[in-house]
Amino acid sequence: PQVGDAYARMRIPRLGDGWEWVVVQGVGVADLRRGPGHYPDSADPGEIGNVAVAGHRATYGEPFAYLDTLQVGDEIFVERGGREYRYLVTESFITVPSDTGVLLPVPGQQGVVADEASVRLTSCHPRWGSTERLIVHGELAGSTTVPSAQNQASGVSEGAVT
């Protein structure tokens, strides 16, 4: 997908029964105004490596407003290309905004080749500030095929919104 296009659909049950967002491709200002954004140079859902997604906590719909409430073992679902990937939260932590190592294929390890599929959600911290970054990390726990009708209804495919 092109920057700004619908990329995937994300659900995080801990954030509420109705918490579901379309993730766009890209993390620029215009992209994040539409919802969470996939870092284009990061892995795709289900792939070996790190799927990295950024989102606002206090503006533009506040998709990650309560990201700090996630706990180890919570589920993060990412649907793309006819599959739904289930990640389990393994940790969350606070870091400085300049810590781009959290986005590497193996977070924090420059030049290391990934051998696991993971997800990283990033947002500003504290909620009403931007002096730090909140990072939530999860590991792939499985995936299922999304029935064709449901996949079409979700509006998320390999390309743009249908």
Side-chain angles (χ1 to χ4, degrees):
Q2 298 296 312
V3 169
D5 285 350
Y7 171 79
R9 184 173 303 279
M10 179 179 285
R11 289 188 299 117
I12 303 177
R14 165 78 62 190
L15 299 181
D17 291 338
W19 195 98
E20 183 175 297
W21 282 82
V22 171
V23 177
V24 299
Q25 179 74 317
V27 293
V29 172
D31 306 317
L32 296 180
R33 283 183 177 153
R34 298 177 62 204
H38 173 253
Y39 286 86
D41 292 333
S42 71
D44 289 325
E47 288 183 351
I48 298 298
N50 186 26
V51 179
V53 178
H56 284 290
R57 292 186 71 195
T59 57
Y60 305 119
E62 304 179 322
F64 287 172
Y66 300 104
L67 197 65
D68 60 333
T69 65
L70 292 184
Q71 301 173 13
V72 170
D74 281 347
E75 297 171 309
I76 300 168
F77 293 95
V78 182
E79 179 186 327
R80 183 163 193 269
R83 296 200 65 79
E84 182 176 70
Y85 301 92
R86 178 177 170 256
Y87 296 88
L88 295 178
V89 173
T90 57
E91 70 173 330
S92 63
F93 60 93
I94 307 299
T95 190
V96 295
S98 60
D99 183 6
T100 58
V102 299
L103 304 174
L104 294 170
V106 177
Q109 299 184 33
Q110 182 72 40
V112 176
V113 177
D115 62 0
E116 294 181 344
S118 63
V119 66
R120 280 277 166 119
L121 307 181
T122 69
S123 195
C124 292
H125 185 79
R127 181 172 178 204
W128 299 102
S130 61
T131 56
E132 299 172 309
R133 293 292 178 267
L134 171 62
I135 311 297
V136 174
H137 180 80
E139 297 291 334
L140 184 64
S143 70
T144 58
T145 300
V146 177
S148 296
Q150 182 180 347
N151 189 41
Q152 291 171 351
S154 75
V156 178
S157 64
E158 288 294 330
V161 174
T162 54

